[in-house]
Amino acid sequence: MNSKSSPKDVFLHLLSIIALYISAGSLISLLFEYINIFSPDPLNYYSYSAIAGSIRWSMASLIIIFPVYILISWMLNKDYGLNPEKRELKIRKWLVHFTLFVAAVMIAGDLVTLVYNFLGGDLTTRFVLKVLVVLLVAGTVFGYYLWDLRKKYTAKQLKVLVWAVSLIVLASVAGGFFTAGSPLNARLRRFDEQRINNLQILQNEIINYWMQKNK
């Protein structure tokens, strides 16, 4: 970190990158669950509560963290406009290059997995869709930060990219209300699960009594 880096610079850059990683991971997880629902694997059983819980967690993360990432990125870009020399901060360059490294590793690993499963004859529709999801998210992150590092974009192009990504995230979150259900439906389902649990306990007690008393 050079002498021009203030605590505010370090905080904003770290918060931006952490928010990016959480947002990207949550989006991938959310899209994976949609694929599990609409293209289920007959060899694996997924309970509704497990899928719905994962969907709600990913939705909550995106609803809170993604706007934070957009806000911090806007603040940083505004600061770069006023102080262009801040683009050369070491903290920024380290984090950007590390993000490029992580995105490149994800893309390479994704393609290796694709080829491996193809050679093993396990190239199902759901698997291909998941590979495409990882490739799309990691590729977008890699392309944007490479673009940003080389200063190859205009304000209009950046605005288009932000709106496109925001619409994808918004559509993904909105889809969760149709798959995981509304908060009211989720609470009603929890009541149903509790009733089922209580009935199973009663059934076990009755069976135990019958086995011990033979009546």
Side-chain angles (χ1 to χ4, degrees):
M1 196 184 317
N2 63 23
S3 58
K4 294 183 180 180
S5 298
S6 66
K8 177 183 176 182
D9 294 326
V10 176
F11 169 75
L12 289 178
H13 283 88
L14 285 175
L15 183 59
S16 173
I17 290 299
I18 291 172
L20 169 68
Y21 292 167
I22 295 175
S23 298
S26 298
L27 180 60
I28 290 173
S29 176
L30 184 58
L31 295 177
F32 273 18
E33 294 301 342
Y34 292 158
I35 294 171
N36 289 334
I37 291 173
F38 296 109
S39 183
D41 185 355
L43 297 178
N44 292 314
Y45 170 75
Y46 299 96
S47 66
Y48 170 84
S49 58
I51 291 181
S54 178
I55 289 175
R56 284 194 290 268
W57 184 259
S58 298
M59 288 170 61
S61 299
L62 287 172
I63 289 172
I64 301 300
I65 305 299
F66 182 71
V68 171
Y69 171 69
I70 294 296
L71 176 62
I72 299 300
S73 297
W74 174 80
M75 291 173 63
L76 288 173
N77 280 301
K78 184 179 179 181
D79 196 18
Y80 297 153
L82 297 174
N83 305 287
E85 68 277 4
K86 286 195 173 184
R87 284 186 172 274
E88 304 303 319
L89 291 175
K90 285 187 178 181
I91 182 68
R92 176 179 183 272
K93 287 191 171 183
W94 271 101
L95 291 174
V96 169
H97 280 91
F98 180 74
T99 301
L100 288 172
F101 169 75
V102 171
V105 169
M106 288 182 64
I107 293 171
D110 197 43
L111 294 176
V112 168
T113 305
L114 176 64
V115 173
Y116 174 80
N117 281 268
F118 172 75
L119 296 175
D122 191 26
L123 204 62
T124 60
T125 301
R126 65 194 305 275
F127 173 75
V128 173
L129 290 175
K130 289 185 177 182
V131 168
L132 291 176
V133 165
V134 175
L135 197 60
L136 176 64
V137 175
T140 301
V141 172
F142 183 87
Y144 167 70
Y145 279 97
L146 186 63
W147 203 26
D148 179 69
L149 202 60
R150 296 177 177 178
K151 306 174 189 176
K152 295 292 186 180
Y153 62 84
T154 63
K156 183 178 180 180
Q157 290 173 326
L158 181 60
K159 186 180 291 187
V160 170
L161 177 63
V162 170
W163 275 106
V165 173
S166 298
L167 287 175
I168 292 173
V169 172
L170 182 62
S172 300
V173 171
F177 290 102
F178 294 98
T179 53
S182 66
L184 176 60
N185 287 335
R187 183 168 179 80
L188 293 175
R189 185 174 288 274
R190 286 173 59 194
F191 275 119
D192 288 341
E193 290 174 350
Q194 184 62 50
R195 293 188 187 98
I196 292 173
N197 185 58
N198 292 339
L199 289 172
Q200 289 174 338
I201 292 174
L202 288 173
Q203 181 188 39
N204 290 335
E205 292 298 325
I206 292 171
I207 292 175
N208 289 334
Y209 181 87
W210 175 76
M211 293 178 66
Q212 294 176 6
K213 305 294 185 180
N214 200 26
K215 63 178 179 179

